[in-house]
């Protein structure tokens, strides 16, 4: 007798439908498995034989042929066990074959017949919903994950015996039911109120959160770089439902979702060690798995000690940061993972860390400083919209009474600024919702500065040696500063502050006050430009 069930296989975040065909006939004992199955799938024969034996079903008198269609699609993982076992039982007449129609079956079997959880359940159920599957049979341990997918009735399978009773005797399994909306509060104990001093860095943090601008901080040890970065996720708006599904799907594939909660409650914060490999940072392996860049999607990726990372790993970040996704190419197919984290990087200014701290503690030679900072390529630094040079913390500010502004107050301003961006994108039909992702055409439509701002920007290009990319990023940052201020038009003050937040773009010989660079520049333009050249915020 021939029986068929349905399951899926994953490649990256993309699921593919697999039809499991099982033919069972009397004859010499055998268990053949075809359909381009990898070792993890072929090993299912041992698990299925043992699980069926626990139900009193022996296969010694039968020849089973299992085909996983389509035959040209490579299959991997242990999630095929349940679908193969139930198709075999249907072929043997132990389970009504028609009862399995319309079910998507996912789960790994133990030797005792328990149904074990599988990674990547969330994207597979989302795929099943698009295909029109009304019901799914999933491991009980994946219940919270399955409940997050509306539109698919997910039945929880604790054991293979319970599944047989469900289809054969009508003893129904429990349904996966949502446990409530994910919490949106900021991480406990990670509040900006704990940060004293570093007003310029706090301001850069707020701008970065409002427009999704990548941030690079350079300063001596103990300047607060790590402390600031760990509090950035707390000033970002809560995850929307669509964002939570997208982020949770990536973590599901990586096997990092908590069994108690199907969707991530907060924006992720990832801080890989500087010894991370290329694949660990951007993803890879076989089957492809997401790297830290994708695991931080819609959250914060903190790269501490940036200059200590492998050069090849850092260079691998460049294109994904522009595209918002990472593509892992293999001979037969490609896997794509979303990669839109807010990247915050921190670096010391020299090997000892104290170059330029004003206290004479640096013992590094000029050549050592140049070589150390040379580990960061120009194109990589260019990907960061905001640059902050952190001075040593003023000890007096640590001893002063009171605390800094809390994350909740900053988050309220960030949410207002993002709301303006979303409304503007909807009204203008823009593809990019946030300022950091604006295309050149969209940027020209929403961030055209006023006359004084244009003179300032042209003067900055001439005086400070800004590249074309830096020109565009300065405009994007200025648009975000204007949104935080509630301004409809980008003005000279917004541009001056944006230019001041990109000090590493300039050649030292050019970043000094000087006479007006253009005859038409007004005294206000020159003052703003000179302040930006010194890294001063706008008035």
């Amino acid at each position: 007798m021939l029986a068929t069930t349905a399951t899926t296989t994953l490649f990256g975040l993309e699921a593919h439908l697999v039809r499991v065909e099982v033919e069972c006939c009397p004859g010499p004992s055998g268990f053949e498995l075809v359909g381009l199955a990898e070792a993890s799938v072929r090993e299912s024969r041992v698990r299925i034989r043992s699980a069926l034996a626990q139900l009193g079903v022996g296969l010694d008198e039968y020849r089973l042929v299992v085909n996983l269609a389509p035959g040209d699609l490579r299959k991997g993982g242990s999630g095929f066990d349940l679908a193969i076992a139930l198709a075999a039982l249907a072929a043997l007449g132990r389970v009504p074959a028609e009862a399995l129609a319309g079910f998507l079956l996912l789960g790994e079997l133990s030797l005792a017949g328990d149904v074990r959880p599988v990674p990547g359940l969330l994207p597979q159920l989302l795929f099943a919903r698009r295909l029109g599957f009304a019901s799914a049979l999933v491991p009980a341990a994946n219940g919270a994950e399955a409940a997050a997918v509306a539109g698919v009735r997910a039945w929880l399978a604790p054991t293979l015996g319970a599944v047989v009773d469900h289809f054969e005797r009508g003893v129904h399994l429990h349904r996966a039911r949502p446990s409530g909306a994910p919490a949106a509060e900021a991480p406990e104990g990670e509040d900006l109120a704990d940060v004293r001093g570093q007003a310029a860095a706090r301001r850069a943090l707020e701008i970065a959160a409002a427009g999704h601008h990548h941030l690079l901080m350079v300063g001596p040890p103990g300047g607060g770089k790590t402390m600031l970065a760990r509090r950035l996720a707390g000033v970002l708006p809560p995850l929307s439902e669509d964002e939570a599904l997208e982020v949770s799907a990536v973590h599901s594939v990586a096997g990092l979702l908590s069994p108690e909660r199907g969707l991530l409650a907060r924006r992720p914060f990832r801080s890989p060690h500087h010894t991370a490999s290329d694949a660990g940072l951007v993803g890879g392996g076989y089957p492809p798995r997401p790297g830290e860049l994708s695991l931080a999607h819609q959250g914060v990726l903190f790269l501490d000690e940036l200059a200590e990372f492998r050069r090849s790993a850092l260079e691998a970040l460049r294109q994904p940061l522009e595209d918002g996704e990472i593509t892992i190419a293999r001979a037969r197919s490609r896997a794509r993972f979303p990669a839109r984290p807010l990247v915050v990087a921190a670096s010391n200014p020299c090997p000892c860390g104290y170059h330029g701290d004003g206290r004479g503690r640096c013992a590094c030679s000029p050549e050592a400083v140049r070589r150390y900072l040379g580990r960061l390529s120009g194109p990589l630094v260019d990907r960061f919209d905001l640059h902050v040079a952190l001075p040593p913390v003023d000890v007096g500010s640590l001893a002063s009474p009171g605390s800094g502004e809390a994350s909740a107050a900053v988050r309220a301003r960030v949410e207002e600024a993002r709301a303006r961006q979303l409304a503007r994108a909807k009204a203008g039909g823009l593809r990019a919702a946030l300022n950091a992702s604006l295309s050149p055409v969209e940027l020209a439509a929403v961030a055209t500065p006023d006359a004084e701002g244009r003179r300032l920007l042209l003067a900055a290009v001439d005086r400070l040696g800004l590249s074309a990319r830096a020109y565009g990023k300065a405009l994007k940052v200025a648009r975000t500063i204007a949104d935080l201020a509630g301004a409809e038009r980008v003005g000279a003050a917004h541009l001056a502050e944006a230019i001041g937040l990109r000090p590493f773009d300039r050649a030292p010989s050019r970043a000094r006050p000087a006479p007006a660079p253009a005859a038409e520049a007004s005294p206000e333009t020159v003052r703003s430009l000179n302040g930006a050249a010194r890294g001063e915020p706008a008035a």
Side-chain angles (χ1 to χ4, degrees):
M1 181 177 175
L2 180 67
T4 302
T5 56
T7 185
T8 54
T9 187
L10 274 178
F11 196 83
L13 277 181
E14 186 178 355
H16 301 271
L17 181 65
V18 175
R19 294 290 179 183
V20 179
E21 302 170 345
V22 176
E23 183 182 32
C24 181
C25 56
S29 177
F31 196 134
E32 299 181 43
L33 184 62
V34 297
L36 213 58
E38 296 182 351
S40 58
V41 183
R42 294 195 299 270
E43 290 172 351
S44 66
R45 294 176 293 189
V46 178
R47 297 189 293 268
I48 291 169
R49 275 185 179 276
S50 179
L52 292 179
Q54 303 302 315
L55 301 180
V57 179
L59 300 180
D60 293 339
E61 300 177 1
Y62 299 96
R63 177 175 176 268
L64 262 69
V65 179
V66 179
N67 178 44
L68 305 179
D72 62 344
L73 178 67
R74 191 177 295 276
K75 291 93 177 173
S78 57
F80 297 91
D81 292 7
L82 188 60
I84 296 174
L86 285 174
L89 288 170
L92 291 169
R94 289 291 303 270
V95 171
E98 61 275 8
L100 300 176
F103 271 86
L104 185 77
L105 308 175
L106 295 165
E108 176 187 336
L109 292 175
S110 72
L111 296 180
D114 298 327
V115 182
R116 289 175 170 167
V118 293
L121 185 83
L122 184 57
Q124 292 180 86
L125 288 184
L126 292 172
F127 173 74
R129 185 176 65 181
R130 291 197 300 270
L131 289 184
F133 279 90
S135 302
L137 203 62
V138 302
N142 288 121
E145 198 173 340
V149 182
V152 177
R153 294 191 301 272
W155 302 91
L156 304 181
T159 65
L160 182 59
V163 174
V164 172
D165 290 341
H166 175 83
F167 288 110
E168 187 179 24
R169 301 185 179 90
V171 181
H172 291 301
L173 299 169
H174 292 294
R175 284 269 306 275
R177 301 192 182 279
S179 58
E185 70 272 12
E188 184 179 355
E190 300 285 329
D191 199 288
L192 270 177
D194 303 329
V195 179
R196 308 288 184 87
Q198 300 295 19
R202 289 176 60 104
R203 172 65 171 169
L205 220 64
E206 181 176 340
I207 295 171
H212 200 83
H213 300 289
H214 302 315
L215 171 63
L216 173 62
M217 297 183 287
V218 178
K225 301 186 292 294
T226 301
M227 189 177 188
L228 286 161
R230 290 191 177 278
R231 282 150 180 76
L232 179 55
V235 302
L236 292 172
L239 286 169
S240 67
E241 184 178 351
D242 289 342
E243 288 175 337
L245 278 172
E246 190 177 33
V247 173
S248 300
V250 177
H251 284 248
S252 175
V253 170
L256 299 178
L257 275 188
S258 168
E260 292 78 24
R261 188 181 292 275
L263 294 180
L264 288 183
R266 302 181 178 96
R267 293 185 182 270
F269 178 90
R270 306 290 298 185
S271 180
H273 193 260
H274 62 260
T275 57
S277 65
D278 301 14
L281 202 56
V282 301
Y286 193 89
R289 289 290 182 264
E292 295 291 339
L293 189 64
S294 295
L295 292 173
H297 179 62
Q298 299 294 358
V300 176
L301 176 63
F302 179 43
L303 302 177
D304 199 7
E305 303 295 346
L306 186 67
E308 302 293 341
F309 278 80
R310 300 180 187 182
R311 180 68 175 260
S312 59
L314 292 180
E315 295 305 307
L317 291 174
R318 285 164 46 183
Q319 196 61 38
L321 289 181
E322 291 290 319
D323 298 342
E325 68 173 15
I326 177 70
T327 301
I328 301 172
R330 293 293 180 262
R332 291 179 175 268
S333 56
R334 293 171 178 262
R336 289 182 174 84
F337 293 105
R340 290 193 181 278
L342 182 50
V343 181
V344 181
S347 176
N348 292 328
C350 67
C352 77
Y354 296 106
H355 178 70
D357 71 343
R359 300 177 185 177
R361 289 184 290 176
C362 179
C364 302
S365 66
E367 177 60 23
V369 174
R370 186 195 65 77
R371 189 165 53 249
Y372 186 79
L373 294 179
R375 297 178 184 179
L376 307 179
S377 70
L380 176 66
V381 173
D382 222 16
R383 260 63 176 185
F384 291 93
D385 299 3
L386 305 172
H387 307 157
V388 176
L390 269 70
V393 177
D394 179 17
V395 179
S397 65
L398 300 178
S400 62
S403 59
E405 189 177 27
S407 293
V410 179
R411 184 166 61 249
R413 293 196 296 269
V414 168
E415 290 176 350
E416 290 177 5
R418 287 200 172 201
R420 293 187 184 96
Q421 295 171 56
L422 294 174
R424 186 167 57 239
K426 184 176 181 181
L430 307 181
R431 295 181 60 185
L434 298 178
N435 291 331
S437 302
L438 290 171
S439 69
V441 174
E442 293 171 337
L443 185 62
V446 303
T448 301
D450 58 21
E452 189 67 20
R454 278 197 302 273
R455 285 195 291 268
L456 175 64
L457 193 55
L458 291 175
V461 171
D462 180 65
R463 281 284 316 286
L464 307 178
L466 300 185
S467 67
R469 188 191 299 273
Y471 173 94
K473 288 189 178 296
L475 268 179
K476 292 177 183 179
V477 172
R479 177 66 267 178
T480 299
I481 294 171
D483 288 332
L484 284 169
E488 291 295 327
R489 191 78 181 269
V490 174
H494 309 134
L495 278 164
E497 184 175 3
I499 295 167
L501 286 168
R502 292 191 63 85
F504 305 146
D505 282 329
R506 312 165 196 144
S509 61
R510 290 187 137 188
R512 292 193 300 267
E520 70 274 18
S522 68
E524 291 78 10
T525 299
V526 176
R527 283 196 293 270
S528 296
L529 177 59
N530 290 337
R534 293 188 295 269
E536 299 172 357

